[in-house]
Amino acid sequence: MGILYDSMKKVKLHQELKRNMILERLEKLGVTKQDGKSIYEMDYEEVKTVLVLAEMRQVDIEHPEHKWFR
């Protein structure tokens, strides 16, 4: 039972580290809230979605190489 517990603890720690990296990227983009909810209250899956949306908003759709966004 101890091995399984240690394994799950490592998985949770890894996911928390990934969440913190995403939070840092969102802070650099100036995003602190999404739909009235603070990014710091969101779980990993929620902040991952917010990051994807925030990065998509950064794309210059007028640039010739980004025509597929239109």
Side-chain angles (χ1 to χ4, degrees), residues 45-58:
E45 292 297 323
E46 290 175 306
V47 294
K48 189 169 69 170
T49 301
V50 172
L51 178 63
V52 169
L53 294 173
E55 287 183 339
M56 285 181 62
R57 289 184 194 109
Q58 298 297 313

Side-chain angles (χ1 to χ4, degrees), residues 3-31:
I3 294 171
L4 178 60
Y5 177 75
D6 289 344
S7 176
M8 292 303 295
K9 206 162 70 171
K10 287 179 185 176
V11 167
K12 190 166 185 143
L13 175 64
H14 186 256
Q15 193 163 6
E16 189 62 27
L17 290 172
K18 291 191 302 185
R19 180 181 170 273
N20 288 340
M21 288 175 47
I22 291 173
L23 289 174
E24 287 177 21
R25 288 172 64 183
L26 286 169
E27 288 170 352
K28 287 180 184 176
L29 292 171
V31 177

Side-chain angles (χ1 to χ4, degrees), residues 26-39:
L26 286 169
E27 288 170 352
K28 287 180 184 176
L29 292 171
V31 177
T32 58
K33 289 187 176 193
Q34 179 74 25
D35 298 328
K37 185 176 180 182
S38 171
I39 60 172

